[in-house]
Amino acid sequence: MKYQNILSIETSCDDTSIALLRDYEILNNIVISSSKIQNEYGGVVPEVAAREHEKNIIKAYKQINNVIQKNNINLNLIAYTYEPGLRVCLNVGESFATTLSSLLNVPTMRINHIYAHIFSFYDELNKQDLEFPFLSLVASGGHTTIFLVNSPSDIKVLNETLDDAVGEVYDKIARSLNLGYPGGPAIDNLYDDSKATIKFINHHANMQFSFSGLKTTVLNYINSIKMKNNYIDVETVASSFQRNVVDILIEKLKYYMENYNIDIIAIGGGVAANSLLQQEIRNIGARKIFIPKKAMCGDNAAMIAIYSRLLLDFNM
Ligand code: KG4
Ligand code: ZN
């Protein structure tokens, strides 16, 4: 096979990742996160993240190179994230990829990070189960989008947030509740269905995703309690917020399932790791659901390699 062995690079935000794919089998997927460092700044500072990528990309490559040498792997392609993301961070991955490409004489392929999130379930899937078209919700720190996916190279946006992304709102609310960064897993871990008692917003208001209203309502609620020096019931606020967000995501997905007559649903992106979202997706009434394993939800290079290989296979 012409593209049997693919090395991939991901540096769009605060995770430095290099992976090795052999015929859709992930041989290695190294992710070095700088989120602890970002936590000290209260969020991702692009220049700080870029500096971490510069250090970590060498470390990750050394580990991958050991696997390449040990298994005598002949690389056929270097796939890397070129958009979207933090420009200074993407630049680190791109210059590493192009340098490696000229040193090893292996071609490169530029990959859209968000499209790679869409197909991050693929390594877990029985390959014959892949079916088009499907609806995909990609929710991360920078994006909240529902796509209509007709093939790996035919992807249409149906709904995109007008303002904040879901992950970003998770991070801001978690920060206000002193739960640290990234906020998604922290809030998810606290979730208790019986404590989701506050209805922050009426989510039927808008056809298009919009999360800044919900964010402001929750933050105002927290601040008003803080100002009165009253006790904040963190679990109740976190659980109610999570219930509100997941209800909005599910409601919109249902709308597109009905209106486009599609009964296959995929999710991807950091927020796809959310336990309540996964539970509700399983109950959404779809004929097939494609859910990535947790390690593949967040940013990682394996999904970059998988998507590059799918593009090659489907366009042949
Ligand atoms: O896809 P990703 O790793 O990076 C971006 O491309 O943004 O997504 C990171 C986002 C963060 O905002 C993080 O708080 C959120 O995904 N996240 C979650 C969960 N795990 C990560 N949000 C909700 N529930 C989770 N379990
Ligand atoms: Zn991402």
Side-chain angles (χ1 to χ4, degrees):
M1 174 60 210
K2 203 174 161 203
Y3 294 105
Q4 187 180 34
N5 299 312
I6 302 175
L7 180 133
S8 55
I9 297 169
E10 157 62 41
T11 59
S12 65
C13 190
D14 60 351
D15 295 309
T16 314
S17 182
I18 305 190
L20 199 56
L21 191 76
R22 180 196 277 160
D23 287 331
Y24 293 113
E25 184 197 349
I26 301 167
L27 298 182
N28 214 332
N29 185 22
I30 294 160
V31 183
I32 306 176
S33 174
S34 68
S35 69
K36 283 215 176 83
I37 294 162
Q38 311 298 336
N39 194 9
E40 290 164 21
Y41 295 87
V44 181
V45 179
E47 284 69 24
V48 175
R51 221 178 308 132
E52 292 305 308
H53 283 309
E54 278 165 7
K55 281 190 274 176
N56 293 336
I57 204 162
I58 309 284
K59 278 193 215 161
Y61 181 68
K62 279 186 179 155
Q63 288 183 50
I64 285 277
N65 197 33
N66 283 339
V67 181
I68 294 175
Q69 300 305 328
K70 220 187 262 169
N71 297 289
N72 237 336
I73 288 170
N74 209 353
L75 287 182
N76 308 115
L77 183 73
I78 298 170
Y80 68 93
T81 302
Y82 86 106
E83 68 167 8
L86 303 168
R87 196 65 255 167
V88 282
C89 296
L90 291 166
N91 287 346
V92 177
E94 176 156 55
S95 56
F96 195 83
T98 49
T99 306
L100 207 57
S101 159
S102 46
L103 283 174
L104 305 178
N105 200 19
V106 173
T108 59
M109 187 172 178
R110 296 163 137 207
I111 293 297
N112 179 301
H113 174 91
I114 302 299
Y115 293 173
H117 270 304
I118 294 177
F119 289 94
S120 57
F121 60 80
Y122 192 65
D123 73 303
E124 288 285 284
L125 194 75
N126 280 329
K127 304 301 175 245
Q128 65 273 20
D129 282 348
L130 183 64
E131 202 182 313
F132 297 98
F134 62 83
L135 295 172
S136 173
L137 166 71
V138 175
S140 69
H143 294 82
T144 307
T145 310
I146 294 177
F147 295 99
L148 169 63
V149 186
N150 292 311
S151 81
S153 56
D154 181 355
I155 298 169
K156 292 188 172 61
V157 174
L158 298 181
N159 195 334
E160 191 159 39
T161 180
L162 293 168
D163 38 59
D164 298 34
V166 171
E168 188 184 350
V169 177
Y170 261 99
D171 295 336
K172 286 189 176 141
I173 288 169
R175 193 172 157 201
S176 166
L177 293 171
N178 292 323
L179 295 173
Y181 173 87
I187 289 179
D188 195 12
N189 286 337
L190 283 181
Y191 183 79
D192 177 343
D193 210 35
S194 69
K195 297 210 165 166
T197 51
I198 310 167
K199 192 130 191 93
F200 286 112
I201 61 154
N202 173 7
H203 49 84
H204 293 285
N206 225 329
M207 185 51 236
Q208 201 144 2
F209 281 136
S210 165
F211 296 99
S212 75
L214 175 61
K215 176 189 72 182
T216 308
T217 308
V218 179
L219 291 179
N220 285 347
Y221 179 89
I222 297 168
N223 288 337
S224 70
I225 299 175
K226 279 185 185 167
M227 263 157 34
K228 289 181 207 142
N229 276 330
N230 283 345
Y231 163 77
I232 300 179
D233 183 346
V234 175
E235 279 182 32
T236 296
V237 177
S239 301
S240 302
F241 160 69
Q242 175 151 305
R243 183 81 250 177
N244 239 242
V245 166
V246 171
D247 282 351
I248 295 168
L249 297 174
I250 295 294
E251 177 198 273
K252 301 288 187 228
L253 276 171
K254 278 189 173 155
Y255 171 86
Y256 290 103
M257 282 174 79
E258 279 162 24
N259 281 272
Y260 284 75
N261 202 15
I262 293 180
D263 56 2
I264 310 177
I265 301 283
I267 53 172
V271 180
N274 188 269
S275 48
L276 182 63
L277 177 63
Q278 291 200 1
Q279 178 194 309
E280 295 300 322
I281 290 284
R282 288 182 209 286
N283 294 327
I284 204 170
R287 181 169 53 87
K288 278 187 186 179
I289 48 168
F290 301 146
I291 299 182
K293 61 180 182 232
K294 287 222 164 156
M296 292 293 283
C297 289
D299 290 346
N300 69 89
M303 69 179 189
I304 303 298
I306 288 171
Y307 183 55
S308 71
R309 178 64 195 261
L310 279 166
L311 280 175
L312 291 162
D313 285 353
F314 275 79
N315 290 324
M316 264 170 196

